[in-house]
């Protein structure tokens, strides 16, 4: 079995902003350039008009969306499943089971839908039945055609039909008189008689109207016997095997559908492995079909597959806290983190590469990775890096801007073939979040969750060219913040609305009266404060809010 290649997903935080999307895409390109062929950018939230514009501007589609990266059944299941067809004879299935040493197989119908399981145990019980003194061990529900195929019959007279019906397999191993009496108890039209070269028994059975005669041991029939069978309508088949082997093989002519185990447990491919493990833990089933849409068989899972390593690992960009990461991040190996925010790092299973630098954007860190490895940055990728840096630093005007960012921008301009001032004008001219988003979308589009001293809170930010559209949205935004706070059981929910031209912001808060009384910025309305000169959530607002929480919990 060929193991799947390890997939490296590079994903930014929930409710991604420009920097989270662009740094993930650019770093995926960097990782591929240094030999990580399966590096793949992703996102765990929607994009906005500005991000979409930036991606189109440089010829990119949005990265794939991942709502959850927890290991799933599809990560470890076997594909290219060996299966049985519901109409095929058991003998052919038994051969495949023996060749591959399987305990059973999933069974599909003509449409590829999984309809059950067939096991070696059930086949064995059929081929080697436990006799209870009745005729059942001799019965087989199959067509003469299927019976003939099990022992590669030679057609000595007549043509076996393909209609399945119950037949009794009878061996003529008795004296003539005894056999004559025995025939009186038989339903001869539903009897397949297996006999050697006992000509008198052959003629007696044919004249009595037996449906089919099997001559074992490779013995043929003479012309008189053939003529008699033709006149009486008896099918005569030849078997190269002895009588006992012929009967054994003939019993396996029954179709798979006759021995189907229909009360079986199947799994969907997107079921998390942890849930699948709990589901199958106490089941005696030998394997579990994995079924997709319309119950089509897409894979098979055995209990030993749970021991396989999951071929997926994560690189987090533009965040380092699990509360902000894609769902399921705690269940997947995190192998790298690139970030420029405070450290509230997710715990990892092993030592990892953790690049946390106090720069203006994560895109700045990614650009530095290219330059340190002396890898030319492709023009479209340089454009993405510019977009992330421009957005996170408000085109190098935010207090989060560093000398490194200022020195980097001209090099990115040269690589991308575009001026930063022109690109910034293009980006910020694209749709106002207040006009294009609902209140609920505006407070979550670029929102991050935090925890301080056991208290959880969220801080969102949107950037506008002015506050001209704010008044008409004020009430809806405050109501949406309050609903978010209650729904997520937060200490408070905040929204920072930033005017990128004046470099001023408005802070909207939903929180307890005690907490709101601690805010000492100039009020601009009920639960709204004016923050002149404040544009950075990371460097200016978040430390202030953390101090308020500390004051609130102080005696």
């Amino acid at each position: 079995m060929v193991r799947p290649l390890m997939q490296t997903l590079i994903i930014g935080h929930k409710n991604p902003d420009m920097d989270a999307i662009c740094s993930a895409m650019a770093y995926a390109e960097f990782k591929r350039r240094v030999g990580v062929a399966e590096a793949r950018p992703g996102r765990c939230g929607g994009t906005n008009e500005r991000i979409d514009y930036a991606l189109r501007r440089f010829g990119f589609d949005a990265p794939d969306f991942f709502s959850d990266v927890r290991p799933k059944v599809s990560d470890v299941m076997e594909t290219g499943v060996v299966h049985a067809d519901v109409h095929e004879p058991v003998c052919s299935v038994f051969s495949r089971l023996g060749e591959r040493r399987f305990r059973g197989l999933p069974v599909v119908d003509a449409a590829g839908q999984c309809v059950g399981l067939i096991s070696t145990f059930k086949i064995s019980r059929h081929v080697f039945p436990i006799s209870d003194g009745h005729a059942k061990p001799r019965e087989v529900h199959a067509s003469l055609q299927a019976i003939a195929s099990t022992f590669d019959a030679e057609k000595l007279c007549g043509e076996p039909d393909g209609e399945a019906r119950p037949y009794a397999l009878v061996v003529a191993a008795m004296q003539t008189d005894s056999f004559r009496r025995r025939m009186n108890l038989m339903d001869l039209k539903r009897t397949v008689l297996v006999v050697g070269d006992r000509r008198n028994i052959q003629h007696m059975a044919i004249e009595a109207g037996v449906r089919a005669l099997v001559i074992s041991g490779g013995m043929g029939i003479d012309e008189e016997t053939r003529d008699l069978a033709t006149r009486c309508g008896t099918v005569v088949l030849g078997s190269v095997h002895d009588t006992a082997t012929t009967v054994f093989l003939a019993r396996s002519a029954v179709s798979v559908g006759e021995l189907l185990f229909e009360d079986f447990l199947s799994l969907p491919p997107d079921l998390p492995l942890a849930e699948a493990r709990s589901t199958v833990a106490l089941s005696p089933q030998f394997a579990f079909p994995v079924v997709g849409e319309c119950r089509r068989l897409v894979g098979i899972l055995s209990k030993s597959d749970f021991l396989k390593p999951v071929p997926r690992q994560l690189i987090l960009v533009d965040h380092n806290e699990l509360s902000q990461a894609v769902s399921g991040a705690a269940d997947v190996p995190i192998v790298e983190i690139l970030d420029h925010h405070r450290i509230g790092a997710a715990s990892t299973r092993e030592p990892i590469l953790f690049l946390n630098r106090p720069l203006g954007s994560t895109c700045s860190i990614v650009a530095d990775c290219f330059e340190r490895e002396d890898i030319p940055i492709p023009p479209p990728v340089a454009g993405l890096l510019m977009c992330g840096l421009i957005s996170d630093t408000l085109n190098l005007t935010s207090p989060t801007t560093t000398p490194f960012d200022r020195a980097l921008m001209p090099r990115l301009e040269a690589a991308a073939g575009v001026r930063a001032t022109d690109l910034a004008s293009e980006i910020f001219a694209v749709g106002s979040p207040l006009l294009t988003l609902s209140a609920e979308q505006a407070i979550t589009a670029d929102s991050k969750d935090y925890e301080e001293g056991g208290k959880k809170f969220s801080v969102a930010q949107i950037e506008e060219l002015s506050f001209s559209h704010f008044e008409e949205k004020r009430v809806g935004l405050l109501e949406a913040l309050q609903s978010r706070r209650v729904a997520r059981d937060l200490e408070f929910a905040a929204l920072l609305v930033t005017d990128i031209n004046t470099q001023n912001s408005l802070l909207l808060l939903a929180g307890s009266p005690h907490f709101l009384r601690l805010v000492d910025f100039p009020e601009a309305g009920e639960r709204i404060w004016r923050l002149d000169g404040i544009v950075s959530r990371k460097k200016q607002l978040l430390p202030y809010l953390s101090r308020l929480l500390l004051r609130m919990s102080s005696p």
Side-chain angles (χ1 to χ4, degrees):
M1 180 186 69
V2 179
R3 288 188 175 183
L5 293 174
M6 177 62 73
Q7 182 186 67
T8 301
L9 296 181
I10 304 173
I11 302 182
H13 50 78
K14 295 174 183 174
N15 308 313
D17 57 10
M18 184 83 75
D19 192 33
I21 296 289
C22 293
S23 61
M25 298 181 70
Y27 197 56
E29 178 64 25
F30 170 77
K31 297 301 286 186
R32 289 192 290 266
R33 296 284 178 121
V34 296
V36 184
E38 295 301 310
R40 179 182 175 190
R43 58 187 172 92
C44 56
T47 59
N48 57 41
E49 288 191 41
R50 288 177 181 169
I51 294 173
D52 293 339
Y53 173 82
L55 295 178
R56 288 195 304 270
R57 174 72 167 76
F58 294 101
F60 293 96
D61 293 324
D64 290 336
F65 173 73
F66 294 88
S67 62
D68 195 325
V69 294
R70 284 180 295 174
K72 296 179 175 60
V73 165
S74 57
D75 292 320
V76 297
M77 70 182 187
E78 294 287 343
T79 56
V81 186
V82 178
H83 62 269
D85 183 89
V86 69
H87 297 299
E88 71 176 305
V90 163
C91 61
S92 61
V93 176
F94 205 50
S95 298
R96 292 206 298 280
L97 287 169
E99 291 167 3
R100 293 171 171 82
R101 299 183 180 180
F102 290 164
R103 288 192 291 161
L105 293 176
V107 180
V108 301
D109 61 15
Q113 294 181 326
C114 186
V115 294
L117 297 170
I118 188 166
S119 68
T120 52
F121 174 77
K122 201 158 187 178
I123 294 174
S124 298
R125 287 294 299 269
H126 173 76
V127 176
F128 302 105
I130 298 174
S131 178
D132 57 2
H134 300 290
K136 268 198 168 184
R138 298 196 305 271
E139 289 182 3
V140 59
H141 191 278
S143 66
L144 284 182
Q145 207 171 72
I147 292 172
S149 70
T150 63
F151 49 82
D152 296 323
E154 179 186 0
K155 298 173 186 176
L156 301 177
C157 182
E159 185 69 32
D161 63 64
E163 182 181 349
R165 52 172 65 91
Y167 285 105
L169 298 174
V170 178
V171 176
M174 56 192 74
Q175 295 295 330
T176 304
D177 291 343
S178 300
F179 182 69
R180 184 178 289 109
R181 290 193 298 272
R182 182 67 177 274
M183 281 198 303
N184 292 331
L185 304 175
M186 297 179 191
D187 180 358
L188 295 173
K189 292 300 182 183
R190 293 287 188 270
T191 297
V192 176
L193 182 69
V194 185
V195 63
D197 59 349
R198 301 175 65 186
R199 190 169 180 274
N200 57 332
I201 295 292
Q202 294 172 6
H203 282 220
M204 187 185 304
I206 292 171
E207 289 170 348
V210 73
R211 179 69 183 94
L213 197 65
V214 180
I215 311 301
S216 61
M219 306 291 184
I221 56 173
D222 55 29
E223 285 301 318
E224 184 181 352
T225 303
R226 182 176 288 106
D227 290 343
L228 179 63
T230 300
R231 291 196 307 274
C232 294
T234 297
V235 175
V236 183
L237 305 171
S239 169
V240 297
H241 305 287
D242 60 38
T243 298
T245 303
T246 300
V247 173
F248 168 79
L249 292 171
R251 282 194 59 77
S252 66
V254 64
S255 72
V256 168
E258 294 293 322
L259 302 183
L260 198 61
F261 180 58
E262 296 177 294
D263 184 18
F264 68 102
L265 177 62
S266 64
L267 304 170
D270 58 353
L271 182 69
L273 268 186
E275 293 182 30
R277 187 180 288 108
S278 299
T279 301
V280 308
L282 301 179
S283 173
Q285 201 168 298
F286 58 83
F288 305 90
V290 182
V291 296
E293 293 184 6
C294 301
R295 294 198 59 78
R296 291 183 65 85
L297 183 68
V298 296
I300 192 82
L301 186 79
S302 65
K303 291 182 180 178
S304 61
D305 288 328
F306 289 106
L307 302 176
K308 291 179 181 176
V310 175
R312 182 184 303 121
Q313 56 190 16
L314 274 182
I315 294 177
L316 306 183
V317 295
D318 203 35
H319 69 300
N320 66 78
E321 301 182 49
L322 280 180
S323 62
Q324 300 172 10
V326 60
S327 295
D331 300 314
V332 178
I334 298 172
V335 295
E336 293 184 33
I337 298 176
L338 275 69
D339 194 18
H340 67 128
H341 297 96
R342 70 173 193 171
I343 297 177
S347 62
T348 60
R349 302 171 189 176
E350 298 176 359
I352 67 167
L353 174 65
F354 188 167
L355 291 178
N356 188 275
R357 299 177 62 183
L359 301 180
S361 69
T362 303
C363 280
S364 303
I365 301 173
V366 176
D368 190 48
C369 290
F370 276 96
E371 293 181 340
R372 284 176 180 271
E373 293 294 328
D374 199 24
I375 298 174
I377 305 176
V381 175
L384 287 183
L385 293 171
M386 288 180 68
C387 290
L389 179 53
I390 288 170
S391 179
D392 251 29
T393 64
L394 302 182
N395 195 23
L396 306 180
T397 63
S398 166
T400 59
T401 307
T402 68
F404 181 90
D405 299 311
R406 298 184 192 282
L408 173 65
M409 189 66 87
R411 299 197 296 272
L412 293 177
E413 287 178 314
V418 61
R419 292 175 55 195
T421 52
D422 295 338
L423 183 58
S425 297
E426 294 176 33
I427 291 172
F428 293 123
V430 174
S432 156
L434 288 177
L435 283 181
T436 60
L437 302 178
S438 67
E440 290 74 16
Q441 291 170 330
I443 68 164
T444 57
D446 180 12
S447 177
K448 293 186 178 180
D449 294 333
Y450 302 94
E451 186 170 345
E452 293 272 358
K455 291 181 169 53
K456 297 179 181 179
F457 60 98
S458 69
V459 183
Q461 183 175 19
I462 57 175
E463 287 119 11
E464 295 284 327
L465 294 176
S466 72
F467 294 135
S468 59
H469 303 297
F470 176 73
E471 283 302 320
E472 60 191 278
K473 298 290 185 177
R474 171 201 297 255
V475 174
L477 292 171
L478 289 170
E479 290 176 349
L481 283 172
Q482 179 61 22
S483 297
R484 180 175 175 80
R485 179 200 172 213
V486 171
R488 298 172 66 89
D489 194 24
L490 302 175
E491 184 65 31
F492 66 85
L495 172 65
L496 188 68
V497 182
T498 299
D499 182 335
I500 62 175
N501 286 319
T502 65
Q503 297 284 288
N504 296 323
S505 297
L506 294 173
L507 174 64
L508 289 75
L509 279 171
S512 67
H514 183 197
F515 180 79
L516 298 181
R517 282 196 298 269
L518 296 175
V519 181
D520 52 9
F521 284 104
E523 293 188 16
E526 185 180 0
R527 293 190 287 148
I528 302 173
W529 292 263
R530 180 172 295 280
L531 279 59
D532 292 340
I534 303 294
V535 295
S536 172
R537 169 176 50 189
K538 174 184 71 174
K539 194 166 185 176
Q540 296 172 301
L541 181 59
L542 187 57
Y544 174 78
L545 295 173
S546 297
R547 288 195 298 271
L548 293 188
L549 281 176
L550 187 61
R551 285 173 55 193
M552 188 176 73
S553 58
S554 298

